[in-house]
Amino acid sequence: MHRQFRYPIPINDYLDTHCVCMHLRQGDTAIDVGANVGDYTCFIAALVGSTGHVLAIEPEPKVRQQLIEKVRKDAFRHVNILPYVVSNQTQILPLYTSRRNPGDHRVWIDKGEERQSIPVESKKLDDLTKDLEEVHLLKIDTQGAEVEVLKGADLIIRRSPSIAIHIEYWPYGLEKMGSSSKELLHILEAYELQLYVIDTARQQLLRVCSESKIDLIDKRIHNPNSAETSPVINLWCVKKNWDVTKSARETDQDHPRCLYITWDDNPKVLLSR
């Protein structure tokens, strides 16, 4: 059956989108931790096709219902949706919700901040993926809880030889969770991954390869005083066979506004202005 999925590319996310398109193939398995309303979930679901598998995890009930409806509307039957906070242990945690930003629900709260909280069960990703042989893409956007997610995902990462990790890097949120940006980067490097900063301003992948580079990145994006003014970037973390030269060459063009994924047996990606 011939189908088409339309994915409007956010203005600052073209390079992120391109990296994912280069990496995922039909039949792959992908995990979206912090799936929110499902835009990224449906994007990767279209890329892996009906023979692939997507696990989407979103703890906030109202947001998760939007995710369910979007997946149902796009008829992605190969997407499984779970209602947990992903962490490094099983427990009940308070999820502090945001009225202003549905993408800013988190398990920590700033001093003086007024937020409602709901109890949510947390699970280790290793416990949720026992039946998966490997994962090809792991996307993590958990508002500062990324270190806890990785600590609970050690087994699935180690048995996934071709995994790419697409992860949010927010030093302010990491510190609020009791971890740090250096701890996050060191965990990723321990898996022998190549780390790249996705520089949306220059549309470049910047290699992270030393302590001094880590410190430089921190200084560029980190404001220790406020969550509101502390910028967030994404990291692209891949095995050493990643062709960054090809990626840079193929993104040296006018940025398209929309991505169309069409497939019958094999997904085909088309970019459209």
Side-chain angles (χ1 to χ4, degrees):
M1 180 173 128
H2 182 82
R3 295 174 54 196
Q4 183 178 79
F5 174 73
R6 179 180 181 273
Y7 177 67
I9 302 174
I11 191 168
N12 289 327
D13 289 352
Y14 172 64
L15 186 52
D16 299 66
T17 302
H18 181 78
C19 288
V20 175
C21 286
M22 284 186 63
H23 182 73
L24 281 181
R25 298 290 181 267
Q26 181 190 24
D28 280 354
T29 297
I31 300 177
D32 187 356
V33 180
N36 201 257
V37 298
D39 291 339
Y40 191 101
T41 297
C42 290
F43 161 52
I44 57 178
L47 285 176
V48 303
S50 58
T51 60
H53 180 213
V54 174
L55 185 63
I57 308 172
E58 173 53 50
E60 206 284 326
K62 293 180 181 178
V63 174
R64 188 172 62 254
Q65 186 58 40
Q66 294 180 64
L67 166 65
I68 292 170
E69 291 171 1
K70 184 171 183 59
V71 169
R72 183 182 297 137
K73 177 182 177 182
D74 290 321
F76 290 127
R77 297 183 180 87
H78 54 294
V79 175
N80 291 341
I81 299 172
L82 298 177
Y84 305 114
V85 166
V86 179
S87 185
N88 61 346
Q89 56 186 313
T90 298
Q91 59 183 325
I92 301 297
L93 292 174
L95 181 69
Y96 298 98
T97 59
S98 171
R99 293 180 180 178
R100 294 185 301 169
N101 181 0
D104 192 34
H105 307 311
R106 34 183 155 97
V107 293
W108 57 271
I109 189 169
D110 263 324
K111 184 177 180 180
E113 197 176 16
E114 294 184 3
R115 287 179 178 238
Q116 292 183 337
S117 68
I118 56 174
V120 178
E121 186 177 5
S122 72
K123 294 274 191 180
K124 295 170 61 175
L125 198 57
D126 281 336
D127 291 337
L128 299 174
T129 56
K130 289 179 179 178
D131 295 332
L132 298 180
E133 291 184 6
E134 66 174 308
V135 169
H136 301 91
L137 175 69
L138 172 58
K139 172 259 187 179
I140 309 173
D141 181 356
T142 53
Q143 302 304 96
E146 286 76 16
V147 166
E148 284 69 24
V149 174
L150 289 171
K151 287 180 177 179
D154 180 70
L155 296 178
I156 186 60
I157 293 173
R158 291 190 184 280
R159 68 174 183 264
S160 301
S162 60
I163 193 171
I165 299 178
H166 190 194
I167 188 167
E168 185 178 82
Y169 180 83
W170 184 27
Y172 184 88
L174 291 167
E175 290 181 9
K176 287 293 182 177
M177 282 295 298
S179 57
S180 69
S181 55
K182 287 185 178 180
E183 183 180 11
L184 171 64
L185 295 172
H186 289 160
I187 289 173
L188 292 168
E189 288 180 328
Y191 292 115
E192 299 184 346
L193 298 169
Q194 289 185 347
L195 276 56
Y196 297 92
V197 171
I198 299 177
D199 187 336
T200 56
R202 298 177 181 85
Q203 289 299 312
Q204 295 177 349
L205 293 177
L206 305 177
R207 177 75 186 277
V208 179
C209 54
S210 68
E211 283 287 341
S212 59
K213 193 68 171 286
I214 292 171
D215 290 339
L216 178 62
I217 293 166
D218 261 7
K219 289 176 182 177
R220 285 179 56 189
I221 71 169
H222 182 33
N223 181 332
N225 298 316
S226 171
E228 298 293 331
T229 58
S230 177
V232 176
I233 62 173
N234 288 328
L235 300 179
W236 181 251
C237 313
V238 286
K239 295 294 184 179
K240 293 182 179 180
N241 60 354
W242 175 253
D243 189 351
V244 68
T245 303
K246 179 180 178 183
S247 177
R249 184 170 64 250
E250 291 191 357
T251 56
D252 186 20
Q253 56 180 300
D254 293 336
H255 298 164
R257 294 176 185 159
C258 194
L259 179 146
Y260 292 89
I261 305 169
T262 63
W263 75 92
D264 31 45
D265 291 328
N266 296 298
K268 302 175 182 65
V269 178
L270 300 173
L271 297 175
S272 172
R273 295 182 183 83

